[in-house]
Amino acid sequence: QVHLVDPAVICTLGAFATRWALGPDARITKVRGQRFTISDRLVVPTFHPAAALRSGPNGAQMQALRSDIQQLARIIKEVRGQ
């Protein structure tokens, strides 16, 4: 399905999606917010929103999720050449 859409950037949300993209040893707490290149696509893992909400609106995971999404917006602009 990824090949049909052919995205330049993929944001994986949570541990399951991150392990699908990066392999079974990937730990979301270790790789979140980093850039990885997989099959000529940038992959940026972050926490799943449901998990981040459990930490509360100002919890550490929610703050990390917000930061990662802001970084993702910058990455998409870079890829588009803006």
Side-chain angles (χ1 to χ4, degrees):
Q1 291 175 347
V2 171
H3 295 286
L4 292 173
V5 177
D6 196 26
V9 180
I10 297 173
C11 179
T12 58
L13 300 176
F16 185 85
T18 299
R19 288 186 187 128
W20 172 84
L22 301 181
D25 295 329
R27 299 289 174 252
I28 191 64
T29 54
K30 303 274 189 216
V31 299
R32 61 145 285 269
Q34 297 179 49
R35 297 178 190 202
F36 297 88
T37 302
I38 309 290
S39 299
D40 295 323
R41 293 175 176 85
L42 284 177
V43 176
V44 183
T46 191
F47 293 116
H48 192 283
L53 283 170
R54 285 189 216 110
S55 73
N58 297 314
Q61 284 187 347
M62 184 57 82
Q63 290 177 3
L65 176 62
R66 285 185 185 118
S67 173
D68 293 347
I69 296 299
Q70 289 170 347
Q71 177 187 2
L72 185 62
R74 289 189 295 271
I75 291 170
I76 291 169
K77 284 183 181 179
E78 277 179 35
V79 169
R80 288 183 176 171
Q82 296 176 346

